[in-house]
Amino acid sequence: MRALSGDHTAAALSADRLVVLEVAGQDDYELLRPDVLLAFHELCLVRHDDGEWYMGQLDDDGSVICWGSYGSDLAEAVRGL
């Protein structure tokens, strides 16, 4: 993960936190149930229980707001950072 991303500080975080996905075109959020959460500085990749990777931002309170799906391939999602 660190070699692929080029981020030597990349780390797995506890998925026990609030993780939401912004709903496009609305001022609403969908609750995500992650089973994996990877942090790359303030950016995160979150794997939802359906196998999709979502990109988001880690907030100061530890929650994550995601804005889009990057598919089911982790390598492709990391390259999307």
Side-chain angles (χ1 to χ4, degrees), residues 25-75:
Q26 300 178 22
D27 286 336
D28 201 10
Y29 297 95
E30 175 186 335
L31 183 64
L32 295 180
R33 292 197 165 96
D35 58 359
V36 177
L37 196 147
L38 305 174
F40 304 85
H41 294 286
E42 71 277 353
L43 292 179
C44 292
L45 288 174
V46 176
R47 186 175 70 188
H48 189 258
D49 60 8
D50 65 1
E52 291 287 312
W53 287 97
Y54 293 86
M55 189 174 297
Q57 182 168 339
L58 185 63
D59 283 346
D60 292 338
D61 66 1
S63 64
V64 178
I65 299 176
C66 297
W67 54 79
S69 172
Y70 283 72
S72 59
D73 184 329
L74 175 58

